[in-house]
Amino acid sequence: MSTLGEILVFAVTTAVVADLAPAPLRGRYNGLIGMAWGTGFLIAPIAGTRLLVIGSTTLWLSCAALPLVAALCQLSLAPALRRRTAG
């Protein structure tokens, strides 16, 4: 069962990927992003249980750190994406 957040993220993600991809490669780009999501859904439970075995503090600190790292990566990409979509 999907949550509302997952539905919104998937809709926006595929639209952004389609906008940024070169026209002839849009299908490949969307296939790759789908594969990346699938890989994440496969790895997350395995990594989460391994981190929980180490300790719940380690698990929750990882759950806090990973989104922060992802946000910093997105912020570092933002200027390049703005230039690409503007011109």
Side-chain angles (χ1 to χ4, degrees), residues 18-79:
D19 285 344
L20 293 174
L25 298 176
R26 286 186 181 147
R28 287 184 187 183
Y29 275 54
N30 272 311
L32 185 61
I33 195 75
M35 190 172 68
W37 275 96
T39 303
F41 283 128
L42 176 70
I43 292 173
I46 297 167
T49 53
R50 298 286 182 199
L51 288 170
L52 189 55
V53 167
I54 295 170
S56 61
T57 303
T58 304
L59 171 67
W60 290 113
L61 288 174
S62 299
C63 288
L66 286 173
L68 292 174
V69 170
L72 290 173
C73 290
Q74 288 177 351
L75 287 172
S76 69
L77 287 173

